[in-house]
Amino acid sequence: MSNNRKNVKALILSGGGVKGTFQYGAVDHIYNHVLEKGEKFKIVCGVSAGALTGSIIAQDKFQLGKDIWMNQIKKRVPAFKMKFPIFALILYGILPGIALLIKLKNTDSLFKNEKLRKILNEVCKDLVQILERDETYLRLGIVEYQTGEYKSVDPTSSKYRDRVVDAIVASTSIPLAFPPVRINKKKGYQYFDGGVINMTPFKDMFDITRQPDFRKKYNLESIYAVLCSPISNRESHQYYKGLFDIASRTLDILCKEIYLNDKEVFDRTNAFVWFRDEIEKKFPDKKEELEKIYKQILKETDIDIKKYFTSTCKVIAPDPEKWKDFLESDLYPDGPQVPVKKNDNSEKLFWKQFPSTFSKDPKKLMAAYHFGMFMAREILGSKKQL
């Protein structure tokens, strides 16, 4: 294989609703303090909020994406609205309960997202052409309602190139919160948030690195995975009683468990790849014996380690224990939301002040953005671009 392959980086983006503000803040730091000037991610894989961010970053439109997020934060996230106006809810509350039940029975979601689609139609109108021109690999995760299968969407494929926005909207459609999306109207299949099955799409990235055209051009140097929710098992210090609070916390728990499963697959695959490289160095004359071992691993694990190529991975996620440090740091916008006392518990402050999946509070969302920058700086450090 040619030694002239270019070293490139991969970006893995999880879901999390409007907590995608944290994610974009982390990407902000990576763009401005980690990547070299003019450097681009050549692999971008995202689900849910990560599909939205990923479709922007894969086009190298970081500043445009930041402007969109800032505008959404300031205007209380107009990209999604309650499907029922407040006066309608009051009316149904007054009418007999059966009327409300009938209305809810015929409703596929609580929110509508037409404005998000409008934004994507403009931002992604040249997505396919840019991906092909820059030789960038983008994958978006969706789930098919009728089969329950996870689908990894390649926007440049013939199946999706004319339905890219449909795929992105589908990936951001959290079940019950947003309506499912029909991509192929002839089949009548409905699609929704890929994060329900695959919260951090490491496998999509692995599948890209196995492709001969990728291996011919690129060498995967490093991987950055950015999550929107904490991954610790520590107590949240909150009592949940509202419908949206309970739904949001449920999603947090599901996201954490799915991520841990995804990371286990990533670590196991990494270990197999390391094993392959080391054993081939030590036993260059044992190809037939090694081939038998590889076949047995494939049979037992469904991992073809002959084709996988991977690298080190840095994971950035909100850490409640770091929240108090953030409040007192140079990155916190406009000073603390509440006076920070010496004995204040960082985790309790975090769960009170960090936004939920459906939050529209500008202060919380802006703080989450800057916390993403803070956590990325804590984990990755900084270097001045040339």
Side-chain angles (χ1 to χ4, degrees), residues 338-353:
V338 295
V340 181
K341 300 177 183 178
K342 185 177 181 180
N343 295 327
D344 279 343
N345 183 293
S346 181
E347 294 178 8
K348 287 184 178 180
L349 289 173
F350 171 85
W351 290 106
K352 287 180 180 178
Q353 299 175 5

Side-chain angles (χ1 to χ4, degrees), residues 79-90:
F80 71 87
K81 287 186 174 182
M82 285 290 294
K83 179 168 284 189
F84 307 111
I86 189 66
F87 70 86
L89 293 176
I90 294 172

Side-chain angles (χ1 to χ4, degrees), residues 180-211:
V181 177
R182 292 179 64 185
I183 295 178
N184 187 335
K185 292 182 172 57
K186 290 182 179 179
K187 288 187 176 181
Y189 286 169
Q190 299 164 294
Y191 297 88
F192 62 95
D193 190 344
V196 171
I197 290 178
N198 190 1
M199 180 51 63
T200 38
F202 288 115
K203 185 179 183 302
D204 294 351
M205 179 206 65
F206 281 134
D207 289 342
I208 291 171
T209 64
R210 293 171 60 184
Q211 294 180 13

